[in-house]
Amino acid sequence: MKIRLSAASAGLVLLAGIGTAAAQEVLIVPEQETVIREYVVKHPVDPVELPPGVEITVGTPLPDVVELYPIDEPDVQYRYVIVDGRTVLVEPETRKIVRVLE
């Protein structure tokens, strides 16, 4: 009985870890990604250089000195910025990077 309980406990811990990782990654359906990519191409902005120490990784907040640009399309809640030729999607409330489009 203890073995089953331990296996069940381990399974719950594993599932909790997966849920936490998934919460950081934003799921964008292919159609929405297409809309975002087309919008960025039609509305070019100057690329920015990030301050030293700021990395382009999901979950990293961008400093207030980085101007974020809106995506004026229905059902798109993110803002964007161009860094090193990549489109970086940012959650406006937290300024955290939610997705990097190559």
Side-chain angles (χ1 to χ4, degrees):
M1 185 70 159
K2 286 186 178 182
I3 294 173
R4 286 187 182 171
L5 184 57
S6 296
S9 297
L12 288 174
V13 169
L14 179 61
L15 287 175
I18 291 170
T20 302
Q24 294 177 355
E25 187 73 24
V26 171
L27 179 63
I28 297 177
V29 296
E31 295 82 12
Q32 189 178 30
E33 186 172 323
T34 300
V35 167
I36 292 169
R37 288 181 186 277
E38 288 175 357
Y39 185 88
V40 170
V41 169
K42 290 178 185 175
H43 302 88
V45 296
D46 291 332
V48 298
E49 187 171 323
L50 296 178
V54 178
E55 294 184 25
I56 300 301
T57 55
V58 172
T60 300
L62 294 181
D64 290 337
V65 296
V66 176
E67 184 176 357
L68 304 178
Y69 298 94
I71 301 173
D72 295 325
E73 292 289 335
D75 301 325
V76 178
Q77 60 192 11
Y78 306 110
R79 299 196 184 275
Y80 76 103
V81 65
I82 305 297
V83 180
D84 295 329
R86 299 179 287 176
T87 301
V88 179
L89 298 180
V90 179
E91 184 177 69
E93 295 82 22
T94 63
R95 298 185 65 85
K96 287 185 179 180
I97 297 171
V98 294
R99 184 83 181 265
V100 180
L101 304 175
E102 300 293 328

